[in-house]
Amino acid sequence: MALVSAKEMLQKAKAGHYAIGAFNINNLEWTKAILLTAEECRSPVILAVSEGAGKYMAGYKTIVGMVNGMLEELKITVPVALHLDHGSFEGAKACINAGFSSVMFDGSSLPFDENVEKTKILVNTCDVLGLSLEAEVGSIGGEEDGVIGQGECADPKECKAIADLGITMLACGIGNIHGKYPENWQGLRFDVLDSIQELTGDMPLVLHGGTGIPDDQIKKAISLGVSKINVNTECQLVFAEATRAYIEADKDLKGKGYDPRKLLAPGFEAIKAKVKEKMEIFGSIGKAD
Ligand code: 13P
């Protein structure tokens, strides 16, 4: 199946009270692990690419080529969207030109009026091309490609104003943080989520910082209108741990050096297991059928 916009999968998720996982990709192994797991689980999936990962993987066109090749060669039949994560205005335009099926424009650090103006332009472009568009209000804490936020909460009225522009999905800060949560974290602000959901109606809401949020809070957020959950750090942690354990076990040394395919195999399996675990929690297994 060719790449699809995330619109239909997210609208179905919102109506069905489950969430679609958006998993960041960083290399071939991650991409293949996520696609194969989605197919095995019959789950729609979103492959997310940060601008930093885009540069690392030799540019957006390279990524589009790799993902399209895998969809065909691995015979993937579940819906897959290729999505820019936390994009700048220029980054969003570059991904649209390169063949992504979905983009996020993160204008949350801009003055609100500028966020609105730039989001509006991208709404028009994405509408014409049939792509999905994510916008953000209220920055998400933690560090993402050098941008540090404070885990603030979005203003529900601003959320409504951006949602009314005709975007596909809305990311809004509700006390969530990228990466590991600090010990004194107070948890998600369900009161804020509730107000945003009330004003934005059917709009699929996006929860960034999916790593480290307790399962019961994830499930409650889904019940209050979250339909897309982003996960990155947890996959990084299991990948690094599995690779470290392989090296420590010294499996391949014996005078021959490391075979990169063997070296990365445990990390590949670890990501498959992590993605499946997340899809179970999010409730997306079997929803591709
Ligand atoms: P985590 O790294 O906390 O899983 O967050 C990922 C994310 O929100 C990417 O946009």
Side-chain angles (χ1 to χ4, degrees):
M1 192 190 229
L3 284 171
V4 297
S5 143
K7 186 171 185 168
E8 190 181 331
M9 65 172 89
L10 291 175
Q11 286 180 345
K12 282 187 182 163
K14 176 103 185 185
H17 306 291
Y18 59 93
I20 304 295
F23 301 97
N24 286 73
I25 57 171
N26 289 283
N27 60 20
L28 179 145
E29 284 74 17
W30 289 44
T31 311
K32 187 172 154 193
I34 296 163
L35 288 177
L36 287 175
T37 308
E39 185 69 19
E40 279 163 29
C41 292
R42 303 299 308 153
S43 170
V45 76
I46 297 172
L47 301 177
V49 179
S50 69
E51 293 196 354
K55 284 193 196 111
Y56 174 76
M57 289 188 276
Y60 300 129
K61 286 185 187 155
T62 310
I63 297 166
V64 169
M66 174 178 73
V67 172
N68 280 334
M70 282 194 198
L71 292 181
E72 190 181 332
E73 301 275 1
L74 300 174
K75 300 184 173 44
I76 303 298
T77 60
V78 296
V80 177
L82 179 59
H83 179 73
L84 173 66
D85 189 27
H86 291 288
S88 60
F89 189 63
E90 292 308 317
K93 287 195 290 188
C95 284
I96 290 169
N97 287 333
F100 276 49
S101 64
S102 186
V103 290
M104 173 183 191
F105 167 56
D106 180 356
S108 62
S109 61
L110 302 172
F112 184 67
D113 289 348
E114 192 179 340
N115 189 2
V116 169
E117 279 320 303
K118 291 193 161 142
T119 300
K120 223 191 264 179
I121 294 170
L122 290 169
V123 165
N124 290 336
T125 311
C126 290
D127 266 359
V128 171
L129 298 172
L131 310 178
S132 41
L133 174 66
E134 175 176 349
E136 179 169 326
V137 179
S139 87
I140 318 282
E143 185 172 344
E144 184 86 354
D145 283 341
V147 179
I148 300 173
Q150 297 299 320
E152 65 182 67
C153 285
D155 174 348
K157 289 201 189 91
E158 289 189 353
C159 290
K160 177 168 169 49
I162 295 261
D164 286 350
L165 299 176
I167 58 170
T168 317
M169 57 197 127
L170 177 69
C172 37
I174 52 164
N176 39 330
I177 299 171
H178 288 122
K180 279 188 171 174
Y181 284 79
E183 298 218 332
N184 61 352
W185 184 56
Q186 303 294 304
L188 294 175
R189 287 285 304 274
F190 293 113
D191 54 330
V192 178
L193 177 57
D194 211 16
S195 313
I196 294 169
Q197 151 70 25
E198 213 158 278
L199 287 180
T200 57
D202 291 338
M203 174 62 52
L205 301 175
V206 181
L207 185 64
H208 281 252
T211 294
I213 301 177
D215 293 353
D216 59 332
Q217 292 194 37
I218 291 275
K219 287 181 179 158
K220 187 162 177 189
I222 293 171
S223 77
L224 291 172
V226 163
S227 334
K228 169 176 176 272
I229 302 180
N230 290 20
V231 179
N232 183 21
T233 305
E234 255 181 283
C235 290
Q236 292 185 358
L237 291 172
V238 295
F239 189 79
E241 174 56 30
T243 310
R244 189 190 60 75
Y246 182 84
I247 292 171
E248 278 185 7
D250 237 2
K251 287 227 177 83
D252 248 359
L253 274 181
K254 300 190 182 91
K256 293 186 194 162
Y258 286 98
D259 174 346
R261 281 172 277 174
K262 287 186 189 157
L263 175 65
L264 298 178
F268 168 81
E269 292 300 336
I271 289 193
K272 283 191 77 190
K274 178 56 71 182
V275 168
K276 183 171 182 199
E277 177 193 316
K278 291 290 164 186
M279 286 175 166
E280 269 162 9
I281 297 164
F282 301 165
S284 69
I285 292 185
K287 302 298 188 192
D289 299 318

